[in-house]
Amino acid sequence: MTDTNNLFQQAVTLLQQLISIPSFSKEENRTADLINEFLQTHGVTTHRKLNNIWAWNKHFDPAKETILLNSHHDTVKPNSGYTRDPYDAKIEDGKLFGLGSNDAGGCLVSLIAVFLYFHDQENLKYNFCLATTAEEEISGVNGLELIIPDLGELSFGIVGEPTQMQLAIAERGLMVLDCTAHGRAGHAAREEGENAIYKALTDIEWFRSFKFPKESEVFGPIKMSVTIINAGSQHNVVPASCVYTVDVRVTDAYRNEEVLEIIREHVASDVKPRSIRLKPSSIPKEHPIVQAGIALGRITYGSPTTSDQSLLDIPSIKVGPGDSARSHTADEFVYVDEIREGIELYIKMLEQIN
């Protein structure tokens, strides 16, 4: 059995090394190198595709179900409010500073530590698959989505994002819709044309007021917001088209495809989704991993933000050390004790079901 204090110390050191290496989305090759080398140094057989690294436990048994442990090592770019060097991973007053320390470095190194804790153990009820992935911050196609076919059959997943180790048992999906209302151009001074703005207004009012029949137990209703509108070329021309954008936050009561179909049935505008990849996700409150967390004093909630959880077609829970309120902020940090607590709680939850 691996010593958890030693794993904690190694996790903190690894996070400091990761922070020192810029790893913007699509530019994570050097942090992927570091993670790959770290795992191999600990006797783990690794696999790599682009900037994604994954591995299975040493005594993998294909007859057993597999748990996915996933977090990402890409970061956003530092915002202009930084007063510190974003790549100088100093620890001061119990805080480990640096870009990506909170989102999602603390989660990532904690899950790596947890994977190492279980890696050499025999007679586990579940296998473990660790996936450290790229492009999460841009919902890119060359991150987790790229390697899902390589990971094999998965029973459920733990996605490491900063939740203060509370249990996000559902996550909203996201669809961005580009809509176009069509009219006919004409001179505004005469009874000519067909005003596309007026046609768009009818549909926009529908987006504002429509209530989907099914509501999520966690989130309540689906939320649709018209956020951008553009029409017309000059004051005396009736516009032939009106283009507007709708932000749709889908709940676990529907699939994205169902929501899109309902919208198209009700509006006259052309509706084109930019993507239907970012799916709503959830895990039953009765699931053993959720019950294990509840037994350890954790609370359940629904997360309004999207993550790589939206790319999974398996039950998954989003949980990790750190606080999402610190994500993408200037002088980002994670408390060192949060990493220790994260490792310990992950292990306790997983030992309860193993």
mmCIF file with all atom_site columns, all heavy atoms in Angstrom, residues 94-106:
data_model
loop_
_atom_site.group_PDB
_atom_site.id
_atom_site.type_symbol
_atom_site.label_atom_id
_atom_site.label_alt_id
_atom_site.label_comp_id
_atom_site.label_asym_id
_atom_site.label_entity_id
_atom_site.label_seq_id
_atom_site.pdbx_PDB_ins_code
_atom_site.Cartn_x
_atom_site.Cartn_y
_atom_site.Cartn_z
_atom_site.occupancy
_atom_site.B_iso_or_equiv
_atom_site.pdbx_formal_charge
_atom_site.auth_seq_id
_atom_site.auth_comp_id
_atom_site.auth_asym_id
_atom_site.auth_atom_id
_atom_site.pdbx_PDB_model_num
ATOM 1  N N   . GLY A 1 94  ? 0.319   28.885 2.816   1.00 0.00 ? 94  GLY A N   1
ATOM 2  C CA  . GLY A 1 94  ? -0.479  27.704 2.512   1.00 0.00 ? 94  GLY A CA  1
ATOM 3  C C   . GLY A 1 94  ? -1.115  27.712 1.141   1.00 0.00 ? 94  GLY A C   1
ATOM 4  O O   . GLY A 1 94  ? -1.857  26.782 0.797   1.00 0.00 ? 94  GLY A O   1
ATOM 5  N N   . LYS A 1 95  ? -0.843  28.742 0.336   1.00 0.00 ? 95  LYS A N   1
ATOM 6  C CA  . LYS A 1 95  ? -1.408  28.845 -1.006  1.00 0.00 ? 95  LYS A CA  1
ATOM 7  C C   . LYS A 1 95  ? -0.331  28.541 -2.047  1.00 0.00 ? 95  LYS A C   1
ATOM 8  O O   . LYS A 1 95  ? 0.763   29.095 -1.982  1.00 0.00 ? 95  LYS A O   1
ATOM 9  C CB  . LYS A 1 95  ? -1.947  30.249 -1.272  1.00 0.00 ? 95  LYS A CB  1
ATOM 10 C CG  . LYS A 1 95  ? -3.045  30.694 -0.335  1.00 0.00 ? 95  LYS A CG  1
ATOM 11 C CD  . LYS A 1 95  ? -3.414  32.154 -0.615  1.00 0.00 ? 95  LYS A CD  1
ATOM 12 C CE  . LYS A 1 95  ? -4.491  32.660 0.321   1.00 0.00 ? 95  LYS A CE  1
ATOM 13 N NZ  . LYS A 1 95  ? -4.813  34.089 0.078   1.00 0.00 ? 95  LYS A NZ  1
ATOM 14 N N   . LEU A 1 96  ? -0.653  27.661 -2.995  1.00 0.00 ? 96  LEU A N   1
ATOM 15 C CA  . LEU A 1 96  ? 0.233   27.384 -4.119  1.00 0.00 ? 96  LEU A CA  1
ATOM 16 C C   . LEU A 1 96  ? -0.266  28.216 -5.292  1.00 0.00 ? 96  LEU A C   1
ATOM 17 O O   . LEU A 1 96  ? -1.348  27.979 -5.824  1.00 0.00 ? 96  LEU A O   1
ATOM 18 C CB  . LEU A 1 96  ? 0.216   25.890 -4.465  1.00 0.00 ? 96  LEU A CB  1
ATOM 19 C CG  . LEU A 1 96  ? 1.376   25.339 -5.305  1.00 0.00 ? 96  LEU A CG  1
ATOM 20 C CD1 . LEU A 1 96  ? 1.348   23.810 -5.313  1.00 0.00 ? 96  LEU A CD1 1
ATOM 21 C CD2 . LEU A 1 96  ? 1.354   25.849 -6.734  1.00 0.00 ? 96  LEU A CD2 1
ATOM 22 N N   . PHE A 1 97  ? 0.520   29.230 -5.663  1.00 0.00 ? 97  PHE A N   1
ATOM 23 C CA  . PHE A 1 97  ? 0.114   30.164 -6.707  1.00 0.00 ? 97  PHE A CA  1
ATOM 24 C C   . PHE A 1 97  ? 0.544   29.670 -8.090  1.00 0.00 ? 97  PHE A C   1
ATOM 25 O O   . PHE A 1 97  ? 1.472   28.876 -8.226  1.00 0.00 ? 97  PHE A O   1
ATOM 26 C CB  . PHE A 1 97  ? 0.735   31.540 -6.460  1.00 0.00 ? 97  PHE A CB  1
ATOM 27 C CG  . PHE A 1 97  ? 0.133   32.295 -5.313  1.00 0.00 ? 97  PHE A CG  1
ATOM 28 C CD1 . PHE A 1 97  ? 0.660   32.178 -4.031  1.00 0.00 ? 97  PHE A CD1 1
ATOM 29 C CD2 . PHE A 1 97  ? -0.964  33.121 -5.505  1.00 0.00 ? 97  PHE A CD2 1
ATOM 30 C CE1 . PHE A 1 97  ? 0.106   32.879 -2.964  1.00 0.00 ? 97  PHE A CE1 1
ATOM 31 C CE2 . PHE A 1 97  ? -1.526  33.826 -4.446  1.00 0.00 ? 97  PHE A CE2 1
ATOM 32 C CZ  . PHE A 1 97  ? -0.986  33.704 -3.176  1.00 0.00 ? 97  PHE A CZ  1
ATOM 33 N N   . GLY A 1 98  ? -0.138  30.173 -9.113  1.00 0.00 ? 98  GLY A N   1
ATOM 34 C CA  . GLY A 1 98  ? 0.283   29.909 -10.480 1.00 0.00 ? 98  GLY A CA  1
ATOM 35 C C   . GLY A 1 98  ? -0.873  29.630 -11.413 1.00 0.00 ? 98  GLY A C   1
ATOM 36 O O   . GLY A 1 98  ? -1.945  29.171 -10.998 1.00 0.00 ? 98  GLY A O   1
ATOM 37 N N   . LEU A 1 99  ? -0.663  29.915 -12.682 1.00 0.00 ? 99  LEU A N   1
ATOM 38 C CA  . LEU A 1 99  ? -1.679  29.694 -13.706 1.00 0.00 ? 99  LEU A CA  1
ATOM 39 C C   . LEU A 1 99  ? -2.029  28.209 -13.795 1.00 0.00 ? 99  LEU A C   1
ATOM 40 O O   . LEU A 1 99  ? -1.151  27.368 -13.973 1.00 0.00 ? 99  LEU A O   1
ATOM 41 C CB  . LEU A 1 99  ? -1.163  30.192 -15.059 1.00 0.00 ? 99  LEU A CB  1
ATOM 42 C CG  . LEU A 1 99  ? -2.118  30.084 -16.243 1.00 0.00 ? 99  LEU A CG  1
ATOM 43 C CD1 . LEU A 1 99  ? -3.342  30.979 -16.033 1.00 0.00 ? 99  LEU A CD1 1
ATOM 44 C CD2 . LEU A 1 99  ? -1.406  30.459 -17.540 1.00 0.00 ? 99  LEU A CD2 1
ATOM 45 N N   . GLY A 1 100 ? -3.310  27.903 -13.658 1.00 0.00 ? 100 GLY A N   1
ATOM 46 C CA  . GLY A 1 100 ? -3.752  26.511 -13.719 1.00 0.00 ? 100 GLY A CA  1
ATOM 47 C C   . GLY A 1 100 ? -3.641  25.766 -12.403 1.00 0.00 ? 100 GLY A C   1
ATOM 48 O O   . GLY A 1 100 ? -3.956  24.568 -12.349 1.00 0.00 ? 100 GLY A O   1
ATOM 49 N N   . SER A 1 101 ? -3.223  26.432 -11.346 1.00 0.00 ? 101 SER A N   1
ATOM 50 C CA  . SER A 1 101 ? -3.082  25.755 -10.054 1.00 0.00 ? 101 SER A CA  1
ATOM 51 C C   . SER A 1 101 ? -4.429  25.243 -9.546  1.00 0.00 ? 101 SER A C   1
ATOM 52 O O   . SER A 1 101 ? -4.548  24.128 -9.040  1.00 0.00 ? 101 SER A O   1
ATOM 53 C CB  . SER A 1 101 ? -2.463  26.706 -9.020  1.00 0.00 ? 101 SER A CB  1
ATOM 54 O OG  . SER A 1 101 ? -3.231  27.902 -8.914  1.00 0.00 ? 101 SER A OG  1
ATOM 55 N N   . ASN A 1 102 ? -5.447  26.069 -9.709  1.00 0.00 ? 102 ASN A N   1
ATOM 56 C CA  . ASN A 1 102 ? -6.792  25.726 -9.247  1.00 0.00 ? 102 ASN A CA  1
ATOM 57 C C   . ASN A 1 102 ? -7.601  25.023 -10.327 1.00 0.00 ? 102 ASN A C   1
ATOM 58 O O   . ASN A 1 102 ? -8.346  24.089 -10.063 1.00 0.00 ? 102 ASN A O   1
ATOM 59 C CB  . ASN A 1 102 ? -7.499  27.015 -8.793  1.00 0.00 ? 102 ASN A CB  1
ATOM 60 C CG  . ASN A 1 102 ? -8.908  26.788 -8.307  1.00 0.00 ? 102 ASN A CG  1
ATOM 61 O OD1 . ASN A 1 102 ? -9.133  26.332 -7.195  1.00 0.00 ? 102 ASN A OD1 1
ATOM 62 N ND2 . ASN A 1 102 ? -9.891  27.139 -9.139  1.00 0.00 ? 102 ASN A ND2 1
ATOM 63 N N   . ASP A 1 103 ? -7.443  25.475 -11.565 1.00 0.00 ? 103 ASP A N   1
ATOM 64 C CA  . ASP A 1 103 ? -8.207  24.932 -12.692 1.00 0.00 ? 103 ASP A CA  1
ATOM 65 C C   . ASP A 1 103 ? -7.259  24.426 -13.763 1.00 0.00 ? 103 ASP A C   1
ATOM 66 O O   . ASP A 1 103 ? -6.803  25.187 -14.611 1.00 0.00 ? 103 ASP A O   1
ATOM 67 C CB  . ASP A 1 103 ? -9.140  26.005 -13.251 1.00 0.00 ? 103 ASP A CB  1
ATOM 68 C CG  . ASP A 1 103 ? -10.013 25.519 -14.374 1.00 0.00 ? 103 ASP A CG  1
ATOM 69 O OD1 . ASP A 1 103 ? -10.139 24.301 -14.562 1.00 0.00 ? 103 ASP A OD1 1
ATOM 70 O OD2 . ASP A 1 103 ? -10.580 26.370 -15.079 1.00 0.00 ? 103 ASP A OD2 1
ATOM 71 N N   . ALA A 1 104 ? -6.990  23.132 -13.768 1.00 0.00 ? 104 ALA A N   1
ATOM 72 C CA  . ALA A 1 104 ? -7.490  22.146 -12.800 1.00 0.00 ? 104 ALA A CA  1
ATOM 73 C C   . ALA A 1 104 ? -6.296  21.387 -12.231 1.00 0.00 ? 104 ALA A C   1
ATOM 74 O O   . ALA A 1 104 ? -6.377  20.190 -11.992 1.00 0.00 ? 104 ALA A O   1
ATOM 75 C CB  . ALA A 1 104 ? -8.455  21.178 -13.480 1.00 0.00 ? 104 ALA A CB  1
ATOM 76 N N   . GLY A 1 105 ? -5.166  22.113 -12.010 1.00 0.00 ? 105 GLY A N   1
ATOM 77 C CA  . GLY A 1 105 ? -3.946  21.436 -11.597 1.00 0.00 ? 105 GLY A CA  1
ATOM 78 C C   . GLY A 1 105 ? -4.066  20.669 -10.303 1.00 0.00 ? 105 GLY A C   1
ATOM 79 O O   . GLY A 1 105 ? -3.579  19.539 -10.182 1.00 0.00 ? 105 GLY A O   1
ATOM 80 N N   . GLY A 1 106 ? -4.724  21.269 -9.306  1.00 0.00 ? 106 GLY A N   1
ATOM 81 C CA  . GLY A 1 106 ? -4.888  20.572 -8.031  1.00 0.00 ? 106 GLY A CA  1
ATOM 82 C C   . GLY A 1 106 ? -5.669  19.281 -8.197  1.00 0.00 ? 106 GLY A C   1
ATOM 83 O O   . GLY A 1 106 ? -5.336  18.254 -7.592  1.00 0.00 ? 106 GLY A O   1
#
